[in-house]
Amino acid sequence: MSGTLAGLLALTGCGPGGKPADTPRPGPTGSPTASAPAPSPSGSTAPGTLPTAYAFTPDPARVPRTPQQAQRLTRAAALDPESWSAGMVAHDPYESGGSWPVLSADCAWSRAELPADVLDSYTRKIDVPAREGRGRVLGSLTLTVHRDAAAADRDLQDTVHQSFRCPDQDLGGGQALHGLMSMHQPKESVLNADASLFEAGKYSSPESGGPQPYVWTKSRIGPVVMALSVKGAQGYETRELLPVAAEGAAKALYRIEQELKP
């Protein structure tokens, strides 16, 4: 677990604003493709200077206060296949929203109405298609707008507690997660969000061909929470999923900032 976490921390070397650093961008087969040059991080003392802390403050006038405002933000900030990474494709079903995941006492997930402290929660599923003898990698991005930052922070805290309570989780439809471990990233290492955590384990389904690597990251900017998962497939190792997760997370956090900045 520690090696996997260290790998993600290195790959998410993003400056404030969540803009990806100038690192190779993974294509669907794991081969690097070119990336755009990194911008000068906001809050730096000089162009090109790496920041030492996250210093973004949302504009209060742009923080959603109603479900309608929250829905506008989640749809605007969500990634589509091409904006996540070239060659990725929409899953079927592609998008969903308006409900909340609940983990039961016997570690099975179900859906319920949005809790009172959530204005909107919206999910898009985007995959790396099967090719060259390797299976289809399943990606998922969920953006949730809470009524305030304190509620969003509790969302992150609950995630860590859930992995300790239920290291094995039933996703329904024959899908399951196994051996989950979650941990908060050290605050000093998070340069594109107020807080962030990482989770890893194994994923299985009737189509997966056995247990496959699974990585998941969750971050908060103000009252907005981004959760992104990547479920592996035959022919992939964890190290190949990390760049896919890191790229999607960095881009989604950057988009959230754009919706919240003055």
Side-chain angles (χ1 to χ4, degrees):
M1 175 65 181
S2 59
T4 303
L5 177 59
L8 185 67
L9 291 176
L11 287 163
T12 51
C14 307
K19 193 74 170 181
D22 191 12
T23 56
R25 187 161 62 88
T29 61
S31 58
T33 60
S35 64
S40 298
S42 58
S44 298
T45 57
T49 301
L50 290 176
T52 57
Y54 185 66
F56 176 76
T57 300
D59 180 355
R62 300 196 66 183
V63 173
R65 302 299 178 193
T66 67
Q68 293 76 20
Q69 292 172 346
Q71 289 166 15
R72 285 196 292 271
L73 184 149
T74 56
R75 274 61 171 180
L79 302 177
D80 57 31
E82 284 300 308
S83 61
W84 185 329
S85 190
M88 294 186 76
V89 297
H91 189 83
D92 183 19
Y94 174 49
E95 54 189 348
S96 61
S99 65
W100 188 250
V102 177
L103 186 63
S104 67
D106 59 355
C107 300
W109 286 100
S110 61
R111 307 296 300 187
E113 293 184 358
L114 294 178
D117 67 356
V118 173
L119 294 172
D120 186 52
S121 186
Y122 176 66
T123 297
R124 282 186 180 169
K125 295 184 177 182
I126 300 171
D127 302 342
V128 178
R131 59 179 60 185
E132 298 178 359
R134 303 208 287 181
R136 187 181 184 99
V137 173
L138 309 179
S140 178
L141 170 68
T142 297
L143 300 179
T144 300
V145 181
H146 292 265
R147 292 190 180 274
D148 53 44
D153 204 48
R154 288 194 297 271
D155 186 351
L156 268 69
Q157 299 291 340
D158 289 345
T159 297
V160 175
H161 296 157
Q162 288 166 346
S163 72
F164 282 112
R165 178 168 71 87
C166 294
D168 299 316
Q169 300 176 3
D170 180 1
L171 302 179
Q175 300 181 85
L177 300 175
H178 316 277
L180 294 179
M181 294 182 66
S182 293
M183 64 176 63
H184 286 281
Q185 295 185 17
K187 187 173 181 61
E188 62 271 15
S189 72
V190 181
L191 303 179
N192 59 349
D194 292 311
S196 188
L197 60 84
F198 177 71
E199 182 174 273
K202 295 290 184 180
Y203 162 78
S204 65
S205 76
E207 297 80 29
S208 68
Q212 304 297 339
Y214 166 83
V215 296
W216 190 79
T217 184
K218 195 170 193 175
S219 300
R220 176 182 70 82
I221 295 178
V224 183
V225 171
M226 177 226 65
L228 183 147
S229 70
V230 180
K231 299 170 182 174
Q234 286 186 308
Y236 283 88
E237 298 180 9
T238 300
R239 62 180 177 81
E240 296 175 280
L241 304 184
L242 293 173
V244 179
E247 180 178 6
K251 289 178 175 178
L253 290 171
Y254 176 72
R255 287 187 169 203
I256 292 169
E257 269 203 9
Q258 296 307 295
E259 294 301 314
L260 294 175
K261 73 178 184 178

